[in-house]
Amino acid sequence: MNMLEKTKEYDYLKIFSIVSCWNISLDKIFQDMQIEGSPERSDFRTVISDKAGKLYVLEKLKPDSFNKRKSIAEYLKYFFECGVRVIPFIQNSQGDFISNFEDDYWMISAFKYNKLLDRNNYWKEGWRGKNTAEVLCNLYRASDKINIAEPLFLLEDYVFNLKSAIKHYFPELHNELIPIYEHLENEFWDAYKVFPRGFCHGDPH
C-alpha cells in the first residue's frame, strides 16, 4: 500500500502527526482490517501499527461525545487496574486519554484480533456464558469501590422505548410480544425494583 495514499479522509502524514501525541512512531495504516464494535460511535477509525509491529485502533471522536468517552476511558483504566479483562485506552504523552489535533479529538487503544462470531450458533457454546459471567461478576465486585457519576440505566425506559419502536415498525411482532409485556407489568417490575445496582456491560442482553 502506498503510505501517501488517502486513508478515507486522512492521509498518512496527518495520521503520523496525530499518533505522535502518544509518542507512537507510525509505520503502517491498515484500511481493510476488521474492527469489532459499532462504527457509528466514532467519526473515523482505522488500525495502525508502530515500527515495532504493535497494532492500535485510532479513532476520531464525534463532536458531542468528548465527556462521555473521557468518562468511559477513566472507568476502563480503573477496571483494568482492578484485574478486569478490559482493553483500556492509552494515555498520551500528557497523561490524557484524548488528544486534540487541529480541533478534532482522538483516542487510541490496543488492537486485538477477533474471530468473527457465528451469530447462528454462538449462543449454544457454553464457555461463552461462563466467560461472560466471570467478566460481569468482576465488574460488579470492582464497581463496589468506584464512584459512578453516570445516570443510572433505567431498564423500564429502555423497554418502553423498545416496545414503542417495535409497535411502530413491526406491529405483528408487537402483538406476539404482548404476553411478555404483560408479564413485565404484572410480575417483573416490582421484583426488579429490589435488584442490587452495580456497574455492568450493555452487551449481554
Side-chain angles (χ1 to χ4, degrees), residues 96-141:
D96 299 320
F97 292 108
I98 301 174
S99 293
N100 185 324
F101 183 84
E102 295 182 353
D103 295 326
D104 291 323
Y105 293 106
W106 299 83
M107 300 181 78
I108 284 183
S109 59
F111 174 80
K112 301 294 183 182
Y113 284 103
N114 293 280
K115 185 178 180 180
L116 290 179
L117 194 65
D118 181 351
R119 296 190 177 277
N120 292 323
N121 296 300
Y122 78 92
W123 58 274
K124 302 175 185 178
E125 298 168 346
W127 65 268
R128 296 185 185 277
K130 181 178 179 180
N131 286 1
T132 301
E134 179 186 340
V135 171
L136 292 177
C137 288
N138 288 338
L139 272 177
Y140 182 76
R141 283 192 287 267

Side-chain angles (χ1 to χ4, degrees), residues 54-67:
K54 187 172 181 179
L55 297 174
Y56 304 88
V57 176
L58 170 70
E59 58 180 311
K60 175 188 170 187
L61 305 190
K62 288 184 175 294
D64 60 350
S65 67
F66 179 94
N67 290 333

Side-chain angles (χ1 to χ4, degrees), residues 31-182:
Q31 295 175 275
D32 300 321
M33 192 170 288
Q34 177 73 28
I35 303 174
E36 293 299 321
S38 303
E40 66 272 10
R41 292 179 182 170
S42 57
D43 271 350
F44 166 83
R45 63 181 187 172
T46 190
V47 177
I48 63 170
S49 67
D50 62 15
K51 299 295 185 182
K54 187 172 181 179
L55 297 174
Y56 304 88
V57 176
L58 170 70
E59 58 180 311
K60 175 188 170 187
L61 305 190
K62 288 184 175 294
D64 60 350
S65 67
F66 179 94
N67 290 333
K68 184 174 181 61
R69 297 301 297 274
K70 181 175 182 290
S71 176
I72 290 172
E74 290 169 347
Y75 287 136
L76 288 175
K77 179 178 183 290
Y78 170 82
F79 288 124
F80 180 77
E81 292 173 346
C82 289
V84 182
R85 291 186 294 171
V86 297
I87 301 175
F89 287 96
I90 299 170
Q91 292 167 278
N92 62 23
S93 57
Q94 303 300 314
D96 299 320
F97 292 108
I98 301 174
S99 293
N100 185 324
F101 183 84
E102 295 182 353
D103 295 326
D104 291 323
Y105 293 106
W106 299 83
M107 300 181 78
I108 284 183
S109 59
F111 174 80
K112 301 294 183 182
Y113 284 103
N114 293 280
K115 185 178 180 180
L116 290 179
L117 194 65
D118 181 351
R119 296 190 177 277
N120 292 323
N121 296 300
Y122 78 92
W123 58 274
K124 302 175 185 178
E125 298 168 346
W127 65 268
R128 296 185 185 277
K130 181 178 179 180
N131 286 1
T132 301
E134 179 186 340
V135 171
L136 292 177
C137 288
N138 288 338
L139 272 177
Y140 182 76
R141 283 192 287 267
S143 65
D144 186 50
K145 300 178 180 66
I146 193 172
N147 180 24
I148 302 176
E150 306 296 318
L152 284 176
F153 169 76
L154 297 177
L155 185 61
E156 301 97 318
D157 291 348
Y158 176 80
V159 171
F160 176 80
N161 293 332
L162 182 62
K163 177 182 174 182
S164 300
I166 292 174
K167 185 176 182 179
H168 180 75
Y169 293 106
F170 306 101
E172 292 184 2
L173 176 60
H174 172 78
N175 292 335
E176 294 179 17
L177 293 175
I178 286 177
I180 295 177
Y181 300 146
E182 291 176 345

